[in-house]
Structure formats: structure tokens, C-alpha cells
Amino acid sequence: VNNPAGQAGFGFAMIMVLYAFGGWSESAFIAAEMRDPKRSIPKALIASLGIITLVYLVTNLAYLFGLGFEELRTSSAPAAAVMGTVLGNWGATFISLIVIISVLGSINGTILTGSRVYAAMGKDHRIFSAMGRWSEKLATPVWAFFFQGCITIIMIFAVGTETGQNGLDRLLGVIGFESLPWSSYGGGGGTLVAGTAPVFWSFMLLTGISLFSLRWRDRNIKRVFSVPLYPVLPLIFCVTSVYMLYCSITYAKGLILFGVILMTLGVPFYWLGCTPQKR
């Protein structure tokens, strides 16, 4: 794997590899809409992770045998390159279309599951109450979809266009920071990934810690889901998250400011909306 930021190693490779498995936990977001979540959620998590792992390994073996290590390391579109060497230009075009369709499916799943988080936030906090409204006709949180779409468009404009990048650089200059190294991380999208990776792993770590905290605080509550190999497996998860947090911070360097600013902006909104909604 090429490291545009110049920080090579196993940790950086794991950051990129684990993004291929990103979203495995999001099926739990729609548990309230499932008929039998106690059985469906574990099956979905185990089956999806197993399938993704198998597909990931087989695909990368095909890349390695088809291109060789050096060509694979420098290729920006390995799937198209492999099919191109076997079937020519039409093969490269065909697999590119397959990749596009797969990406669209992933985006669709992320949109559906992500909106449920905003909807739950709207039900719990008055300042976001609009996002908690569901359409009876469509049986979906339409305002959560709308809010999510607006935020996405703003972020695409901010990091994916020259105007947005220049605006962010000027804003950073006003508060005394250097411009973001957009080209070093492969452009706006890559910079966004690098800047938010520490946030991602911070919350993964906090989720693992919360399991121990809640088990200790609410010891008498009957649990719907059991944690296998408790506390060993959750402890391994937390240790892994600490390592990945360290690696992501090392990779992001000054870009960690991007994620910190986003999280900091959420603090005043949290306190403004900390009064729960009446149900």
C-alpha cells in the first residue's frame, strides 16, 4: 500500500484495510425495525463479516497474482487493471461498472442506517426534534434523511472543490493554523478520511469502554444480547482500538484538528438539547 503521507507500516495498512470492513456495526442501528432483532442482529453481523472477509481475501489474491506486488502497490484501480490484462478494455470497463454499482449499494446502506441515528437523536433532544419525525406514508425519518443529505453536500463542497478547500485554508489561517495538505492525502476525500479516522477510532474505543462501564453500573439489568467470551473479547477490541487510534493519529498528523473541530462543534448543540423530549 502506498502511503501518501509518508508514514508506512503495519498500522497505516490496517487503517486502509479496516475501511473495507467499515459499516459492519451499522446493521444494529435498525434493530428497532426488525421483527426478531435478538436473532437477526447476531446472524447479520457474523454472516456479513464472514462474507466480507472471504471476498476481501479472494479479491486481493486475484490482484496479487494478476498484477504482482509492485504493480499492485502503485495501481489506483487494481480491479480494472487485472480485468484489463485478461479481457482487454471491455473487461476493465465491465469491472469498473461492477465496482460503481457496489459502491452505490454501500452508500445506500449507509444512508439508510445513518439516518436512524439522527432520528433517535431527534427523539431524545428537543433542539433536534424535527429529525425525530417519521413519515407515516413512507415509514422513514424523512427529516433525518434531509439533514443527512445537507451535511453530506456541504462536506463534499468543502473538501471536494477548490473553492471549498481555499475557504477552509483561509479559515485555518485566521485562527493561526497552516493550510491543509490536500494533495498529500490524495485530494479532498482522502484528506477527509485522514482527518476523521482518529474520531472514528475514538468512538470505537469509547463504545468498548462503555460496555464495561454499563455492565458494572447496571449489573442487575437483564441483557437482551450476550457478549461472547466476556470480558476477554471486549478487552481485545478495546486494545485494538487503542492501537488503531494511535496509528490514525500518526497518519493524520495535523489533520487531527479537522476531527477535533467537528467534535467540538457538537458540544454546544449537545448542551442546548440536553433536555429530553417528552414522549
Side-chain angles (χ1 to χ4, degrees):
V1 177
N2 265 339
N3 188 345
Q7 177 63 40
F10 179 76
F12 170 77
M14 288 302 296
I15 292 174
M16 298 296 107
V17 168
L18 290 176
Y19 271 119
F21 296 80
W24 61 268
S25 59
E26 293 183 9
S27 59
F29 295 175
I30 57 174
E33 300 173 58
M34 290 183 172
R35 294 180 180 177
D36 188 5
K38 186 176 181 180
R39 295 184 60 185
S40 300
I41 291 295
K43 285 183 178 180
L45 293 177
I46 295 171
S48 60
L49 279 174
I51 293 172
I52 292 171
T53 302
L54 179 61
V55 171
Y56 183 86
L57 292 174
V58 171
T59 302
N60 279 275
L61 283 173
Y63 293 162
L64 190 59
F65 283 108
L67 299 177
F69 178 76
E70 286 301 322
E71 188 175 350
L72 174 60
R73 190 174 68 86
T74 57
S75 176
S76 59
V82 170
M83 291 298 290
T85 59
V86 177
L87 299 175
N89 290 335
W90 76 268
T93 302
F94 174 76
I95 196 64
S96 296
L97 289 174
I98 296 297
V99 171
I100 291 172
I101 293 172
S102 176
V103 170
L104 289 174
S106 176
I107 293 173
N108 180 65
T110 302
I111 290 173
L112 288 175
T113 55
S115 65
R116 270 56 182 177
V117 176
Y118 302 128
M121 184 170 61
K123 288 183 178 180
D124 290 339
H125 301 284
R126 60 180 179 177
I127 193 173
F128 303 111
S129 59
M131 291 190 294
R133 299 172 188 169
W134 284 62
S135 168
E136 295 183 3
K137 181 179 179 180
L138 301 175
T140 55
V142 289
W143 286 104
F145 278 122
F146 176 76
F147 175 80
Q148 182 175 246
C150 290
I151 294 296
T152 302
I153 292 171
I154 292 172
M155 294 181 73
I156 291 174
F157 174 79
V159 305
T161 67
E162 185 175 351
T163 302
Q165 292 174 3
N166 291 337
L168 286 175
D169 287 339
R170 285 195 293 269
L171 179 61
L172 289 173
V174 169
I175 59 178
F177 291 96
E178 297 181 357
S179 300
L180 294 174
W182 301 102
S183 59
S184 298
Y185 289 89
T191 306
L192 185 63
V193 169
T196 55
V199 178
F200 175 83
W201 287 107
S202 294
F203 280 96
M204 280 290 186
L205 176 60
L206 290 173
T207 300
I209 293 174
S210 68
L211 174 65
F212 293 99
S213 176
L214 293 174
R215 283 294 182 101
W216 175 260
R217 192 186 69 180
D218 303 323
R219 282 169 282 185
N220 298 322
I221 293 179
K222 183 179 179 181
R223 311 292 175 180
V224 178
F225 296 97
S226 60
V227 179
L229 301 178
Y230 181 85
V232 177
L233 199 59
L235 185 60
I236 294 174
F237 177 85
C238 289
V239 172
T240 303
S241 296
V242 169
Y243 175 69
M244 293 309 302
L245 175 60
Y246 165 77
C247 294
S248 62
I249 291 174
T250 303
Y251 171 55
K253 297 184 174 67
L255 288 180
I256 190 175
L257 177 67
F258 190 84
V260 170
I261 289 175
L262 288 177
M263 286 197 298
T264 303
L265 288 175
V267 174
F269 285 103
Y270 172 79
W271 288 113
L272 286 172
C274 62
T275 302
Q277 287 283 94
K278 294 180 180 180
R279 300 187 182 183

